[in-house]
Amino acid sequence: MKKTQVNDELRVSGIYIQFEDGVSDSEVQTILKNYNLTMNYSIKYNIDYMADEYYIMLDKDERDVRRELSEGMKEEKKDWTISSPSHVIRKGDSYVIVVSEQAVNDEKFLSILNKYNTQVKKFVWCYIRFEKPDGFRYWIPEEDAVKMKNELENNESILTASIDYINDQ
């Protein structure tokens, strides 16, 4: 994603937020009202065009599950989990691990999860778009967006937040 600068300032048009499975539209509204969002914004709830849809949550001590999943992927020659550092989210004493859509339909993968009483969950993706009062796109400085992102990620229902930079090209 190209970052656009104006007067040495990066411009941000919105923030993508990954909520835990099962968070409703009204809960999203309530959560966001608790933050100091001083500008006008709109929310798109449960957007479906984001690549990462599924996840599992494992306690930091659940090494057996991670080991068995890793071995199963090697045996089956399949990519069940996306385990790059940017795809593993630390939330308290747990890890949120992104799961491929292929895995959600794979019997062996599901049997490993069942053995450890672990459920596949689905992210609830939302997009906050900053707007002027007339509904046109607005932007905020990157510094403000980073502060907002960090505050949002402290909420227990929010797994991650990522900044959407304006690309004027």
Side-chain angles (χ1 to χ4, degrees):
M1 195 174 296
K2 185 177 182 324
K3 298 177 182 180
T4 302
Q5 286 185 302
V6 173
N7 301 329
D8 294 328
E9 198 171 71
L10 291 170
R11 300 188 307 166
V12 175
S13 63
I15 297 179
Y16 288 98
I17 304 172
Q18 283 178 303
F19 286 90
E20 286 185 326
D21 190 14
V23 173
S24 70
D25 185 20
S26 62
E27 288 172 302
V28 167
Q29 300 278 349
T30 301
I31 289 167
L32 293 177
K33 283 180 185 172
N34 290 328
Y35 292 92
N36 190 18
L37 299 176
T38 56
M39 74 296 296
N40 288 338
Y41 63 91
S42 64
I43 302 171
K44 289 185 181 177
Y45 172 76
N46 206 16
I47 55 177
D48 59 1
Y49 52 82
M50 300 305 289
D52 301 332
E53 290 188 69
Y54 303 99
Y55 70 97
I56 56 175
M57 188 174 276
L58 300 174
D59 183 85
K60 68 178 181 179
D61 297 325
E62 291 181 290
R63 291 182 179 89
D64 293 342
V65 183
R66 293 194 305 254
R67 181 184 38 74
E68 198 164 330
L69 286 173
S70 179
E71 289 170 2
M73 285 191 299
K74 287 176 188 169
E75 288 172 14
E76 299 288 317
K77 295 183 174 69
K78 295 181 180 175
D79 292 326
W80 291 333
T81 63
I82 303 168
S83 59
S84 71
S86 65
H87 283 90
V88 176
I89 305 159
R90 180 100 190 244
K91 197 70 176 172
D93 286 340
S94 298
Y95 292 100
V96 177
I97 300 171
V98 177
V99 174
S100 70
E101 190 164 350
Q102 173 192 46
V104 174
N105 300 306
D106 189 290
E107 287 183 34
K108 180 158 184 162
F109 173 79
L110 295 173
S111 70
I112 293 169
L113 294 186
N114 191 42
K115 176 179 174 182
Y116 293 99
N117 199 26
T118 301
Q119 304 279 322
V120 174
K121 298 178 180 184
K122 191 169 184 176
F123 290 113
V124 175
W125 277 97
C126 294
Y127 181 69
I128 297 175
R129 177 184 157 169
F130 305 124
E131 296 180 344
K132 294 179 180 178
D134 58 10
F136 286 100
R137 183 170 75 171
Y138 184 66
W139 62 270
I140 64 171
E142 181 189 41
E143 181 180 320
D144 294 346
V146 168
K147 183 178 175 186
M148 187 181 306
K149 172 192 174 314
N150 292 338
E151 287 177 16
L152 288 167
E153 287 180 338
N154 286 326
N155 185 291
E156 63 187 39
S157 296
I158 295 174
L159 300 173
T160 64
S162 57
I163 295 171
D164 183 24
Y165 291 93
I166 293 177
N167 184 354
D168 288 334
Q169 303 245 338

